[in-house]
Amino acid sequence: MGRTNRKRRSTLANRAIAASAALALGGGGLLAANIYASAGEENSQQNAQTTAAGQMATIACPDVGQKLSDVPDGARQGVDEELAKMDSQITEAYARLNSTRDAAAKDPGFVQNSILGPLKSKRTAALDRININVQRAGGDAQDLQSLAECEGQPADQAQTAAGEGQEGQDQNQDGQDQGGEDQAGQDQNQGGQDQGGQDQGQVGDNGNGAAGPVAGDFIDINQVQPNNDPAGNAANGLAADGEGGSQGTFTTECGTNANNVFNSDNLIAAPGVDNGAHHTHDYVGNQANDAFASDEDLANGDTSCQNQGDKSTYYWPVLRQQDGNDEFDANDGGGGADGNVGTILEAAEAEIKFVGNKQSDVVAMPKFLRIITGDAKSNTNGVGNENASWSCTGFEDRQISDKYPICPEGSQVVRTANFQSCWDGQNIDSANHRDHVSFVQEDGSCKEGFQAIPQLQIRLVYDAQAPVIENGQVQNPFAVDSFPEELHKPITDHNDFINVFDEQEMNKVVDCINSGQQCQ
């Protein structure tokens, strides 16, 4: 398969060394208002002027992968490799932005001339190569050049760069299969923004320089109003009156990654590309998953699932406590080299369950079906595809997407992912890794041409230490791994799945759900 998955090896490290190393590697990147604060109070006036001038927090680029819909099968590998190169180009440009803030503050044209201009040239060349791949495989060239240009993004524009905020709210409201809790969550989150917004420009050193999260990324769960019914039928995607639809469940026990299988690849979005994700993933289920795994490798791989008929791969970005400790990937891509530092937290619980559809029976998922839910680039893309949901045990009637929860003593952090549950009936993947599946419509049914499949729901619980916010700074926060330019925002949480159930076991899943049984 090219290489094996990287295993964990934890060691303690000097916090100051870790911080400086991460900054040197380009791991930071919020507003420059306080980036020079260590130089003393004499810089306060200069810092205020820099902030007023709109110093950039990060770099936002059009997501080319989401715009591609007509890519011949023969061009997919080449196109995916080019898309991964474009991600690396953004990462490199962001690192340069972070390491040249002094020059940028002195020269208003520096960022455009030295960072954004060269980045556009590189992206233009990559877009040309994408079209060459498509045409060589018999496809038609697409007009992609409008996607070459990137822009600097201040912190207060996070999550709106793509102009898709309303669309994202609508999609999430329909797609969660959970009774519309996201709309209520969005309303509540606005209150959270008011509470923490003034902190967005603050720079805290949590071992990764200025890459975040910041105080404004957190909210006390007690300040969130109830907006979800986790105990009722709505949470299981069932008809509210308990009638109709497919009301069974199938639970698969696959552990919590006690085997310490990690890598920063993404077999779905960037096959064949080492460090295609630029952040580290946890894996449960299939143990043979890395960027170079074929379907045959997955079918022949071992599984951490108790049910050996389930060799599916379930993976998500790790959650870290930014405590200044080095992990096995402290100097690696996906880890410290991409601004992801601190102790990786193993989930205390990882609940993996398949549920039914409100309106109809479900059909079997095809083997090797791939589904990505959520958007790892929601901070710069906008919320069109976001599907993050954060809460605390004992408070799961309160779900939030754009904040990390501060949980009270005795309560644990919860991440929930509810996957798309409608399939086009033909394809196991699509060019943008989204078009072949969709969320249900408002009434719980699938849109025309799509049919209901078992909905995957993943609930992760963590013993994360609650951060402390003092004087607009957050101390010892936890954060989800992210692309460097996404600044560890909670809204970038996402989850990935490849179905490797054997046919007999998948039929059992379908029968259990359609007959109303609770199976495992």
Side-chain angles (χ1 to χ4, degrees):
M1 289 193 300
R3 64 178 177 81
T4 57
N5 288 351
R6 295 186 282 275
K7 301 287 186 176
R8 179 181 185 176
R9 49 177 179 83
S10 299
T11 58
L12 293 177
N14 181 281
R15 181 170 181 168
I17 294 175
S20 60
L23 281 170
L25 289 164
L30 274 178
L31 291 176
N34 294 314
I35 207 75
Y36 309 111
S38 60
E41 294 183 0
E42 64 272 14
N43 286 328
S44 60
Q45 183 176 0
Q46 176 188 355
N47 291 337
Q49 292 172 345
T50 300
T51 302
Q55 183 78 18
M56 296 176 188
T58 189
I59 294 173
C61 300
D63 192 337
V64 177
Q66 299 307 310
K67 306 296 184 182
L68 295 175
S69 58
D70 186 17
V71 177
D73 290 344
R76 292 275 179 88
Q77 181 175 350
V79 169
D80 284 339
E81 289 176 356
E82 291 299 333
L83 293 174
K85 291 176 183 177
M86 296 179 81
D87 283 338
S88 294
Q89 291 166 2
I90 299 172
T91 295
E92 292 164 1
Y94 170 76
R96 179 160 171 73
L97 171 69
N98 192 57
S99 64
T100 58
R101 294 191 182 275
D102 192 21
K106 295 175 181 177
D107 178 4
F110 178 85
V111 172
Q112 180 61 46
N113 295 332
S114 299
I115 299 175
L116 297 181
L119 177 59
K120 180 179 179 180
S121 297
K122 293 177 182 178
R123 286 171 62 85
T124 297
L127 293 169
D128 287 341
R129 291 193 296 270
I130 286 174
N131 265 329
I132 290 171
N133 274 281
V134 169
Q135 289 176 295
R136 284 177 176 172
D140 296 325
Q142 301 183 40
D143 183 10
L144 301 176
Q145 292 308 313
S146 63
L147 305 177
E149 190 166 3
C150 303
E151 61 183 13
Q153 186 181 71
D156 59 4
Q157 291 184 10
Q159 302 166 20
T160 61
E164 297 174 346
Q166 185 61 48
E167 176 187 347
Q169 289 184 12
D170 293 343
Q171 180 183 19
N172 255 357
Q173 184 178 9
D174 297 345
Q176 282 280 9
D177 286 355
Q178 287 198 352
E181 77 275 13
D182 283 312
Q183 186 61 52
Q186 290 288 347
D187 293 340
Q188 177 60 36
N189 288 340
Q190 292 301 316
Q193 288 283 12
D194 292 341
Q195 178 203 17
Q198 72 270 22
D199 299 323
Q200 290 288 345
Q202 301 297 315
V203 173
D205 183 357
N206 303 305
N208 68 339
V214 295
D217 292 325
F218 291 85
I219 187 171
D220 186 335
I221 196 66
N222 287 292
Q223 297 182 17
V224 180
Q225 295 300 312
N227 52 40
N228 180 45
D229 176 20
N233 285 333
N236 293 324
L238 306 182
D241 59 5
E243 299 178 358
S246 41
Q247 302 186 35
T249 65
F250 185 95
T251 301
T252 182
E253 299 286 345
C254 300
T256 57
N257 196 21
N259 294 339
N260 294 321
V261 179
F262 303 101
N263 63 49
S264 58
D265 301 340
N266 192 326
L267 177 58
I268 298 177
V273 178
D274 186 41
N275 194 33
H278 293 273
H279 51 263
T280 296
H281 286 125
D282 264 319
Y283 289 87
V284 301
N286 202 291
Q287 303 289 284
N289 191 338
D290 64 14
F292 307 96
S294 65
D295 288 349
E296 182 179 2
D297 292 327
L298 296 177
N300 293 328
D302 293 329
T303 179
S304 67
C305 300
Q306 292 181 12
N307 184 337
Q308 293 296 296
D310 180 11
K311 292 189 176 183
S312 301
T313 178
Y314 309 89
Y315 62 104
W316 49 81
V318 299
L319 192 70
R320 297 185 196 244
Q321 199 86 46
Q322 293 186 351
D323 52 11
N325 291 343
D326 268 2
E327 271 289 1
F328 72 96
D329 57 358
N331 298 310
D332 297 339
D338 282 319
N340 296 301
V341 299
T343 299
I344 292 175
L345 301 177
E346 181 183 332
E349 301 176 35
E351 301 173 359
I352 301 175
K353 180 169 63 175
F354 294 87
V355 304
N357 179 271
K358 294 179 182 180
Q359 299 290 341
S360 70
D361 284 350
V362 298
V363 301
M365 293 179 176
K367 197 167 187 177
F368 305 121
L369 175 70
R370 287 148 162 81
I371 308 179
I372 299 174
T373 198
D375 184 0
K377 302 176 184 177
S378 291
N379 185 54
T380 56
N381 276 351
V383 297
N385 289 311
E386 71 91 6
N387 193 17
S389 193
W390 296 88
S391 191
C392 302
T393 55
F395 297 85
E396 288 179 72
D397 60 342
R398 311 173 191 200
Q399 297 289 325
I400 46 180
S401 63
D402 66 347
K403 303 286 182 188
Y404 294 115
I406 299 177
C407 302
E409 186 176 355
S411 177
Q412 298 166 293
V413 173
V414 181
R415 300 164 68 182
T416 304
N418 297 293
F419 282 66
Q420 298 91 315
S421 56
C422 299
W423 170 53
D424 68 6
Q426 298 181 19
N427 300 293
I428 62 170
D429 200 1
S430 48
N432 60 11
H433 312 296
R434 296 189 186 273
D435 288 348
H436 63 299
V437 290
S438 69
F439 291 106
V440 295
Q441 301 178 104
E442 188 172 0
D443 66 355
S445 65
C446 293
K447 64 184 180 182
E448 185 177 356
F450 283 68
Q451 50 194 306
I453 55 175
Q455 187 198 28
L456 172 59
Q457 299 182 343
I458 297 180
R459 176 178 174 270
L460 306 171
V461 180
Y462 294 87
D463 292 319
Q465 182 178 342
V468 175
I469 297 176
E470 295 179 348
N471 300 319
Q473 300 285 314
V474 58
Q475 303 297 327
N476 195 38
F478 59 85
V480 67
D481 264 21
S482 73
F483 283 93
E485 69 277 2
E486 299 300 316
L487 308 179
H488 298 104
K489 297 297 182 183
I491 204 167
T492 64
D493 199 15
H494 56 283
N495 216 298
D496 303 76
F497 165 69
I498 303 176
N499 170 40
V500 199
F501 274 87
D502 64 37
E503 183 177 355
Q504 180 178 353
E505 201 62 29
M506 176 52 65
N507 288 336
K508 178 182 175 181
V509 174
V510 169
D511 289 343
C512 283
I513 291 173
N514 288 341
S515 62
Q517 300 178 65
Q518 281 70 51
C519 306
Q520 59 183 13

